[in-house]
Amino acid sequence: MDADLDATDRKLLLLLQENARRSVATLGREVNLSRTAVQARLARLERDGVVAGYTAIIRAPPVHGVSALVSLRFGIRPCNLVLDRIRSWPEILDGYSTAGPIDAVLVVRVLSASALSSLTDRLSAVSGVEAVETTLIMDRFKDRLSGNRACDP
């Protein structure tokens, strides 16, 4: 799909990642296109699935609790057979399918260490999960939006 994107498309995508609330007119000025041309490009990028949606990222006050990375190794393929079973679990903030000895990495948030233990027990009991490894997140040292140190996870 990236081969279908020209330099202007890539610049528009970077601008949207920085701030998706920019007006179409502002985007047009930044990429030297008319408002109509930018609207057409955005419509194509949305239709082609390159832009999957627009969202607000809320910086809520830190919630006390425990954050962790949970690495999973599966004993079955395809991996989606397992991932579909856990996709909607509310403790899972983010999930990544990976290549290598680990099949997936989850970013989880729970209220306590005992809740984390319960979560890893539940994950271990899911059919197809062969191994679960947990790494506690101590602190966040970079926030992708600002590039600055953020509040604790």
Side-chain angles (χ1 to χ4, degrees), residues 99-115:
I102 299 300
D103 294 305
V105 175
L106 312 175
V107 179
V108 303
R109 180 111 184 127
V110 293
L111 292 176
S112 65
S114 63

Side-chain angles (χ1 to χ4, degrees), residues 99-151:
I102 299 300
D103 294 305
V105 175
L106 312 175
V107 179
V108 303
R109 180 111 184 127
V110 293
L111 292 176
S112 65
S114 63
L116 181 59
S117 180
S118 295
L119 176 62
T120 57
D121 289 346
R122 284 177 43 219
L123 286 165
S124 296
V126 171
S127 177
V129 172
E130 195 171 87
V132 177
E133 183 177 311
T134 304
T135 304
L136 289 178
I137 296 173
M138 302 301 288
D139 194 7
R140 178 184 294 152
F141 66 88
K142 181 178 179 185
D143 178 319
R144 76 174 176 87
L145 297 176
S146 67
N148 297 325
R149 186 184 183 287
C151 60

